[in-house]
Amino acid sequence: MRELLDKPANKPFEFYAAYYPPIYAGYKAFDIDGLVQGIRKVDGLSIFYHVFHPLFSSHVVPEDMGNDFATWIRDELGDRLLAQEVSDIEGKEPRTVENVREDLIKILSEAKVNRSANKPFYFITCKPVIYNTGKIAKNLAELVDMLASISVRSIAYHFIFKRVMGYEDKNDFSKWIEENYGLTDLSKRLSALDPQTYTDEEMLRQDLLKIFEQEVLAK
């Protein structure tokens, strides 16, 4: 196994990271109809910001709701069942922000909620700032070591952002492992993780490392 871990990759893995400065998208909603209209109008980055960004901002958002829409529905409209349904929307591969947008519109359009909120939902979009971390893994062993210590922003960029925005059809780790080592089982297990089931970014890191340990290090 050490031989596989140390085997040089055909193409080294370069770790990038990103942060997402928020920008007001120009829409706000006081009720479900307004929320649906806003979801139809905003760009994909706004859906990403409200649905996927909370995972790596878990220190400032409620842990029991998976996205901003769900939190607002619960807190401002007082509908816990609808909030939970919106919170449970899946985000695993190969789903993108457009799939999530469709689900949101379907669920909310069928909801029977006539209340208006005192505090509106403000649609936020973002302009990602992507940067090279300077970290490069030349083999599997280095990739695992760096996953254990790299910033969560880097993990989120490679595992979530590029894929859910449709820039890649799968997360960068699965793609790199498959293309350089042919480890399809490992690749599939990583791809099966749904970022929407996490409310703690460190738990996502630990689960990624656990899969590497089970599929590579323990054999």
Side-chain angles (χ1 to χ4, degrees), residues 58-197:
S58 59
H59 54 292
V60 295
V61 298
E63 292 185 357
D64 56 341
M65 288 287 122
N67 59 64
D68 293 342
F69 300 117
T71 301
W72 183 78
I73 291 168
R74 182 193 63 183
D75 294 348
E76 301 302 326
L77 298 183
D79 195 318
R80 285 183 170 273
L81 287 177
L82 180 59
Q84 194 59 60
E85 190 174 2
V86 169
S87 178
D88 290 343
I89 287 177
E90 289 187 359
K92 67 182 178 182
E93 290 180 22
R95 291 168 59 79
T96 70
V97 290
E98 295 309 322
N99 300 126
V100 172
R101 188 200 304 266
E102 291 171 6
D103 281 358
L104 285 167
I105 291 171
K106 183 175 189 300
I107 291 170
L108 296 173
S109 297
E110 295 173 354
K112 307 297 182 186
V113 181
N114 298 315
R115 290 185 289 277
S116 293
N118 291 320
K119 183 180 176 182
F121 184 92
Y122 288 97
F123 282 90
I124 303 297
T125 186
C126 58
K127 187 174 183 180
V129 177
I130 301 164
Y131 57 96
N132 192 324
T133 67
K135 303 285 187 183
I136 299 175
K138 297 186 289 297
N139 55 42
L140 264 177
E142 291 183 357
L143 184 82
V144 175
D145 286 345
M146 289 178 188
L147 270 176
S149 59
I150 199 82
S151 73
V152 171
R153 286 192 175 279
S154 181
I155 293 175
Y157 173 75
H158 290 291
F159 190 72
I160 304 173
F161 178 74
K162 289 176 67 181
R163 192 264 304 170
V164 301
M165 288 306 300
Y167 302 143
E168 298 289 350
D169 60 356
K170 63 175 62 175
N171 75 81
D172 288 345
F173 303 129
S174 290
K175 193 170 181 179
W176 186 78
I177 290 161
E178 211 167 325
E179 291 177 352
N180 287 276
Y181 297 96
L183 298 173
T184 53
D185 289 344
L186 172 57
S187 173
K188 287 178 181 176
R189 285 195 65 187
L190 294 175
S191 294
L193 290 179
D194 183 352
Q196 287 308 97
T197 62

Side-chain angles (χ1 to χ4, degrees), residues 144 147-148 204-214:
V144 175
L147 270 176
L204 173 60
R205 183 206 301 274
Q206 292 308 313
D207 280 357
L208 288 170
L209 290 172
K210 189 184 299 179
I211 291 173
F212 272 99
E213 181 179 353
Q214 293 170 344

